[in-house]
Amino acid sequence: MIVVLKQGITPSEKDKVRSYLTEKGFMVREIVGAQDTVFGAVGTLHIDPRQVELLPGVSSVVPISKPYKLASRELKKEDTIVSVGKVKIGGNRVAVIAGPCAVESYDQVMAIAESVRESGAVMLRGGAFKPRTSPYAFQGLGEEGLKILRKAGDAFDMPITTEVVSPSDVEMMASYIDMFQIGARNMQNFELLKAVGKTGMPVLLKRGLSATIEEWLMAAEYLMASGTDQVVLCERGIRTFEKATRNTLDCSAIPVVQKLTHLPVIGDPSHATGIRDMVAPMSLAIVASGASGVIVEVHNCPEKALSDGPQSLYPSQFSKLMRDIQALCPVVGKSLEKIPRILPGSMKEKGTEVPVSEGALKVAFQGERGAFSELAVRRSFDENVSVLPCHSFQDTFDAVSSGKAKYGVLPVENTLGGTIYDTLDLLAMHPELTVVGEQQVRVIHNLIGMPDAELGDIKKVYSHPQGLAQCTRFLSDELPDAERIPFFDTAGAVSFIAEKKDKSLAAIAGAPAAVYHGLKIIRQGIETDASNYTRFYVITREENAELFRSQSKLNKAAISFSVSDQPGALMDVLKIFADREINMKKLESRPIPGKPWEYLFFLEFQLPEDGSFDDLCKDIKEKCATFRVLGLYASVL
Ligand code: PEP
Ligand code: MN
């Protein structure tokens, strides 16, 4: 059952509720959600829920209808984000795990690890204990294989996952690996599930060869009841009458499972199809189905692979697949998980004159909680990074400049609305700040109202003028009589509705704003044009830039410059780019305050790979009246 606690419950009341439940034989898990804190109480005994409801500090008691309890979405509404080392699986990210089917040798794993990491995989896989159909097939290198995998993971800074087949190996394996894998053949090996669950470590739980979704979730429940809450489910194809592929990839299981459980689900296109050529299209299908990632077999020489060669991708195929997944992610409102550049909890402060202690781990953005900018913050840093919502763009810049926040994330361009000039103008006014990163968010608008509101109730719709403009088709077709009222920002409009508690009012905003304020999404994806993306800059003070930049491969630069008022002056600068065959990505001009009819140019371009950036800057400077490097960053586009 779910015991919902009152918002003002005291610590001693909380302890009493917990003790009451444990004394009655329940296992109690505390779950802190955006709205409520609840106790999930799971046990074999039945007690009258009213007895619990009478305890001080308890708001209500709700039974869990499903046979799986801890894994159930009824118990925990928010997505669980599983942490495997620095890598996170779940929420709005797509994590790609890659590696060979089996660890065969040191050289083999090192070569594959290097190439998959270079292409963008965030975790390394490889079997050391192989549960093969035939006893005469290669059974894996055992502990020796784990040592190799560990070395490769450390060398290329990737957490590692590998299959466990016996409860007696669990302890030994735990000292080498970051995540256990329970294979399809062992999904209902309950002794194994219990032993692995007890470690509290992350587990990748494959769906059994002919397991129903409920049986699969019950297996997850075994793991959770034994002590881990870090479970990732993996759809890897099921047995059907179809023989054309090794198994039948059950893509529809992905959205089903995501409704039923808060645990992340990923897909395995390699074992699902058994055929190399089908791995890429099925990987995309898995991502399109809403999965939190894929696990893919890659081999440097599949013809010689000791197991599953025919389904293993060549490194070049994997690299192409990664680019396709990256392109698909924003379409489904996700971003590709990268090995994080910054771990907010473990950042080392550098000496600086600015008092950063307060803002050390904070990221500023403009807007209210749940704004699209906050989504960009969480994608650039971490789900749990602490944020500083600011009223205006200027406040956001000031917060970063003064050290109240270490980083700021600001929109710079929208694919429909064009450049956001405020950001460029403020950058020009803040020479102490620099651009260190870029992020992209797909703008998916929703009609958001009170929990009991239906479409027919809505009389007034509030949103940022852009939000209203971007949903005109929906508004004209579905709510022709509703008044459209411009608001300062989209998430602010949601907070306004939450305050008014009036079911005839609705806002247009992103889904996180609805979740944050506990409101209902009445209609999803109501934007007229689905290709609506906003690009953000991550900014910081110059002295923090190195730390951020050192952890990613920089490939883009932004500069600003002005030229003298004479024929061909701008052309002279642009010619430098043409002569050096450097690809320009964006050019803007802005008036210079206090200098009527003079302009500052903003230019973004692809960073030359030959290290000639300083040289290039020198050439440009010679042709300019003023020149500044606004930033170097890794482009996500
Ligand atoms: C594997 O991932 O190597 C494997 C054996 O997968 P499954 O358990 O899904 O067959
Ligand atoms: Mn395999």
Side-chain angles (χ1 to χ4, degrees):
M1 68 188 143
I2 304 163
V3 182
V4 185
L5 304 177
K6 285 191 179 146
Q7 299 226 321
I9 187 170
T10 65
S12 89
E13 283 172 343
K14 209 167 171 179
D15 283 346
K16 280 189 192 134
V17 179
R18 195 197 306 269
S19 317
Y20 179 88
L21 293 165
T22 25
E23 275 161 25
K24 294 268 181 225
F26 285 90
M27 183 172 66
V28 181
R29 292 279 162 86
E30 180 173 344
I31 295 161
V32 183
Q35 297 301 316
D36 299 306
T37 297
V38 305
F39 279 154
V42 183
T44 44
L45 265 161
H46 180 78
I47 54 166
D48 187 341
R50 284 171 301 182
Q51 271 172 278
V52 185
E53 232 157 19
L54 286 173
L55 298 174
V58 172
S59 157
S60 59
V61 174
V62 189
I64 302 174
S65 62
K66 300 284 190 304
Y68 42 87
K69 311 287 179 190
L70 297 170
S72 149
R73 194 53 100 179
E74 290 174 52
L75 178 65
K76 184 168 179 260
K77 305 261 174 303
E78 287 87 11
D79 290 342
T80 285
I81 312 288
V82 171
S83 292
V84 191
K86 288 193 279 188
V87 170
K88 293 201 160 23
I89 305 176
N92 285 323
R93 39 172 77 70
V94 171
V96 180
I97 307 171
C101 176
V103 174
E104 298 167 14
S105 71
Y106 177 81
D107 290 347
Q108 171 238 16
V109 176
M110 289 301 267
I112 297 170
E114 181 173 14
S115 74
V116 297
R117 171 76 162 96
E118 174 68 24
S119 302
V122 288
M123 267 179 78
L124 181 65
R125 62 147 289 150
F129 297 92
K130 296 302 300 173
R132 305 302 297 278
T133 306
S134 160
Y136 309 117
F138 175 59
Q139 303 287 310
L141 297 183
E143 190 167 350
E144 193 48 40
L146 300 179
K147 288 183 184 160
I148 294 173
L149 206 57
R150 180 73 272 156
K151 276 190 192 144
D154 289 346
F156 298 103
D157 193 24
M158 281 186 283
I160 58 172
T161 182
T162 194
E163 181 167 353
V164 56
V165 293
S166 162
S168 61
D169 289 338
V170 169
E171 208 182 307
M172 176 275 289
M173 290 180 73
S175 64
Y176 292 106
I177 67 173
D178 302 295
M179 183 188 224
F180 284 102
Q181 181 178 321
I182 305 273
R185 290 154 197 82
N186 273 313
M187 188 205 82
Q188 280 186 321
N189 182 340
F190 300 116
E191 290 312 310
L192 184 63
L193 295 173
K194 285 193 248 177
V196 169
K198 257 190 226 156
T199 64
M201 283 173 60
V203 188
L204 183 65
L205 177 64
K206 296 266 192 119
R207 182 177 180 182
L209 298 173
S210 51
T212 64
I213 289 174
E214 188 166 296
E215 286 163 343
W216 186 18
L217 293 174
M218 288 308 286
E221 188 75 11
Y222 258 96
L223 288 166
M224 298 183 82
S226 312
T228 182
D229 52 4
Q230 300 283 291
V231 180
V232 177
L233 299 160
C234 179
E235 162 59 44
R236 46 79 71 205
I238 47 173
R239 272 284 160 80
T240 65
F241 53 81
E242 184 51 67
K243 291 267 194 296
T245 48
R246 182 171 172 182
N247 290 290
T248 299
L249 178 65
D250 184 8
C251 260
S252 58
I254 293 165
V256 171
V257 163
Q258 295 218 304
K259 262 212 152 81
L260 297 175
T261 177
H262 50 88
L263 298 171
V265 53
I266 69 168
D268 174 345
S270 309
H271 295 90
T273 62
I275 305 161
R276 181 177 307 126
D277 289 353
M278 293 181 188
V279 169
M282 289 305 100
S283 298
L284 298 178
I286 287 165
V287 174
S289 306
S292 295
V294 286
I295 177 165
V296 183
E297 286 184 345
V298 179
H299 201 289
N300 53 345
C301 187
E303 302 75 18
K304 299 213 174 118
L306 297 181
S307 70
D308 286 350
Q311 69 193 34
S312 298
L313 292 184
Y314 290 96
S316 59
Q317 289 178 307
F318 178 69
S319 159
K320 157 91 170 55
L321 171 62
M322 285 303 298
R323 277 177 278 140
D324 290 347
I325 292 177
Q326 170 139 16
L328 178 59
C329 280
V331 177
V332 289
K334 302 214 175 190
S335 57
L336 194 59
E337 172 72 347
K338 304 238 167 85
I339 304 270
R341 307 172 181 114
I342 302 255
L343 269 182
S346 65
M347 271 191 295
K348 288 187 201 80
E349 294 303 334
K350 285 190 169 182
T352 148
E353 335 75 79
V354 182
V356 293
S357 51
E358 187 203 341
L361 310 173
K362 273 214 172 88
V363 186
F365 68 92
Q366 185 278 324
E368 296 243 3
R369 294 300 310 272
F372 288 110
S373 291
E374 185 177 344
L375 202 56
V377 170
R378 305 219 174 269
R379 290 200 191 159
S380 303
F381 293 83
D382 184 276
E383 226 85 17
N384 304 319
V385 71
S386 70
V387 289
L388 179 67
C390 298
H391 183 65
S392 63
F393 286 132
Q394 172 137 17
D395 291 350
T396 317
F397 271 84
D398 288 347
V400 183
S401 181
S402 66
K404 261 204 311 202
K406 186 151 186 173
Y407 297 94
V409 171
L410 289 126
V412 65
E413 187 172 20
N414 173 266
T415 47
L416 302 180
T419 301
I420 291 132
Y421 293 118
D422 280 345
T423 298
L424 295 189
D425 294 348
L426 283 158
L427 254 182
M429 285 159 56
H430 283 277
E432 77 287 9
L433 301 182
T434 181
V435 179
V436 287
E438 185 184 61
Q439 189 53 254
Q440 179 182 237
V441 164
R442 180 176 162 209
V443 178
I444 302 174
H445 285 305
N446 304 279
L447 188 74
I448 296 166
M450 293 305 294
D452 56 343
E454 299 298 335
L455 189 64
D457 299 323
I458 305 306
K459 304 265 181 298
K460 288 181 181 173
V461 182
Y462 295 78
S463 191
H464 185 277
Q466 288 268 1
L468 292 169
Q470 289 170 4
C471 301
T472 35
R473 192 189 299 155
F474 169 83
L475 292 171
S476 312
D477 291 355
E478 307 280 337
L479 289 170
D481 301 324
E483 195 182 339
R484 303 173 194 180
I485 303 169
F487 211 82
F488 186 65
D489 64 17
T490 54
V494 177
S495 128
F496 175 75
I497 308 292
E499 235 169 70
K500 289 280 170 213
K501 297 193 172 38
D502 178 342
K503 75 181 215 185
S504 74
L505 309 183
I508 292 177
V515 175
Y516 184 75
H517 292 286
L519 296 192
K520 173 180 171 182
I521 295 182
I522 303 171
R523 285 286 185 280
Q524 248 181 336
I526 59 168
E527 66 280 359
T528 309
D529 187 336
S531 310
N532 185 358
Y533 299 90
T534 300
R535 187 162 69 91
F536 294 81
Y537 276 159
V538 181
I539 60 164
T540 189
R541 287 183 62 90
E542 197 67 63
E543 61 266 27
N544 304 323
E546 210 29 58
L547 176 66
F548 196 103
R549 288 190 186 128
S550 64
Q551 304 193 34
S552 55
K553 197 172 161 205
L554 309 176
N555 57 4
K556 224 170 145 186
I559 59 169
S560 66
F561 61 91
S562 60
V563 290
S564 54
D565 187 13
Q566 65 189 49
L570 175 60
M571 162 85 172
D572 282 346
V573 175
L574 300 188
K575 193 166 174 310
I576 298 171
F577 288 90
D579 289 347
R580 289 177 173 249
E581 295 185 359
I582 293 172
N583 196 12
M584 289 190 355
K585 303 299 279 184
K586 183 178 173 68
L587 178 62
E588 281 285 349
S589 71
R590 292 294 294 154
I592 302 176
K595 294 189 176 173
W597 318 120
E598 288 189 30
Y599 300 90
L600 188 64
F601 294 97
F602 287 86
L603 204 154
E604 288 180 348
F605 56 93
Q606 256 165 4
L607 210 51
E609 281 182 10
D610 56 5
S612 61
F613 179 69
D614 291 342
D615 232 32
L616 169 75
C617 291
K618 216 167 92 218
D619 284 5
I620 303 171
K621 243 187 228 167
E622 276 173 20
K623 303 280 178 199
C624 294
T626 64
F627 172 83
R628 181 181 150 204
V629 176
L630 294 173
L632 300 174
Y633 49 93
S635 175
V636 294
L637 307 182

